[in-house]
Amino acid sequence: MQVVYSPECLEYAIPGHPESPARVERIHDVLKENGFGFIGAEPAGKRDILLVHTPGHFELVKSKDYSGIETPPIDIKYPLLAAGVTIRAAERLGFALTRPPGHHAGRDSLEGFCYFNNIAIAVRKLGRRTAILDLDTHHGNGTQEIFMGDERVLYVSLHQSPLYPGTGLRSERNCHNFPLYPGTGEGTYLRTLEKALGMVGGFRPELLAVSMGFDTYKGDPLAGQQVTEQGFGKIGRMVGSLGLPAFVALEGGYSENIGELCLSFLRQL
Ligand SMILES: [Zn+2]
């Protein structure tokens, strides 16, 4: 799988913030050492952002007139670039190695380290019948809100509960949620994934979009799931066995091993 990447996403940093440039850098270095090919991307345009977000939301991100530890003010060029990288990954069926992540950003809201919803923008831009599989340990509340009731899109999420953002406790319309207790073992996780993948296959999508978080890792400092490094390889193999055209967008993952976890996943996909 080709990696879509722009080193500019490493330019901004908030000291002590878990969503750090080191996350992306670690993945980049490990994938490079292991022979993955990289291509660049242009930033998304305003028109792309408005496929998903309100004009008011675009202006807010542009103005930097917001605050909070979760979403510190940053130059709009970074969220635009992350969206652009994800669009290119969708077009090329690649891996969008970028930051900031996106799945908590709603139509008119920024939260949880997310400014624009990268995967939602890419899915809307391509306009295909798409299944979104969200494997970040946090529920993708923004993605769910954006696609709720959209018959061309299936949203399926496995996530820890209780945990931020506290949504995704039950399934609704085209959005299927699999909340998992903190400490859920890898065996249970993989069996649940099997069920989720059955739903994805049954939807008969033209495209599979994976919101990939590595914070289900047993050593992740922000959550309490138990997936091992080898487990990410199993997840990759299971997702790959669907045989669907797929792209992957990076969401969370905060351990120092994120590079190895990502390699394990992508190698088997
Ligand atoms: Zn997460």
Side-chain angles (χ1 to χ4, degrees):
M1 181 173 257
Q2 211 167 30
V3 183
V4 188
Y5 172 70
S6 165
E8 283 167 286
C9 79
L10 306 178
E11 285 173 358
Y12 72 96
I14 293 91
H17 202 285
E19 203 290 280
S20 68
R23 304 171 54 241
V24 168
E25 219 168 7
R26 286 190 177 115
I27 295 175
H28 171 270
D29 293 352
V30 172
L31 295 183
K32 196 170 176 197
E33 273 166 34
N34 284 276
F36 279 77
F38 291 77
I39 56 169
E42 294 295 313
K46 182 175 178 181
R47 196 179 294 181
D48 301 324
I49 304 304
L50 296 187
L51 292 169
V52 163
H53 297 286
T54 62
H57 183 67
F58 180 87
E59 292 306 322
L60 178 71
V61 175
K62 191 175 165 191
S63 71
K64 291 170 70 174
D65 192 15
Y66 52 87
S67 59
I69 190 87
E70 279 183 19
T71 49
I74 58 174
D75 195 305
I76 190 173
K77 82 179 212 192
Y78 301 115
L80 287 176
L81 192 58
V85 164
T86 309
I87 290 169
R88 187 111 205 258
E91 290 167 347
R92 305 288 290 257
L93 303 179
F95 170 49
L97 174 57
T98 193
R99 61 189 282 267
H103 73 152
H104 297 305
R107 215 172 281 129
D108 196 31
S109 60
L110 70 174
E111 64 171 271
F113 315 158
C114 301
Y115 300 77
F116 295 142
N117 196 311
N118 305 320
I119 202 160
I121 292 164
V123 166
R124 279 267 156 84
K125 175 102 175 172
L126 266 66
R128 306 221 178 101
R129 182 177 174 84
T130 305
I132 301 174
L133 178 64
D134 193 325
L135 298 181
D136 189 275
T137 201
H138 303 92
H139 181 239
N141 54 331
T143 311
Q144 171 168 296
E145 181 220 283
I146 289 161
F147 290 110
M148 180 65 74
D150 184 335
E151 289 175 2
R152 303 257 304 158
V153 174
L154 179 79
Y155 176 76
V156 181
S157 175
L158 270 67
H159 47 270
Q160 182 178 312
S161 178
L163 188 67
Y164 171 87
T167 50
L169 302 183
R170 68 188 78 83
S171 299
E172 216 178 321
R173 302 170 78 182
N174 59 324
C175 297
H176 296 272
N177 289 308
F178 294 89
L180 297 162
Y181 285 113
T184 295
E186 185 171 278
T188 304
Y189 187 91
L190 295 175
R191 279 194 295 279
T192 308
L193 177 63
E194 189 77 59
K195 255 191 248 171
L197 294 179
M199 291 185 140
V200 169
F203 183 66
R204 301 192 184 283
E206 296 164 341
L207 181 66
L208 173 64
V210 183
S211 258
M212 193 62 200
F214 296 95
D215 42 12
T216 50
Y217 178 51
K218 65 182 175 66
D220 196 276
L222 296 197
Q225 299 280 271
Q226 300 295 320
V227 179
T228 61
E229 186 176 327
Q230 296 84 342
F232 282 101
K234 290 179 190 165
I235 292 169
R237 204 172 318 138
M238 286 168 72
V239 173
S241 71
L242 288 172
L244 294 168
F247 76 97
V248 179
L250 177 64
E251 302 289 356
Y254 306 94
S255 79
E256 291 190 356
N257 301 11
I258 190 169
E260 287 75 20
L261 306 180
C262 187
L263 175 67
S264 181
F265 173 72
L266 289 181
R267 251 210 301 232
Q268 298 292 335
L269 192 61

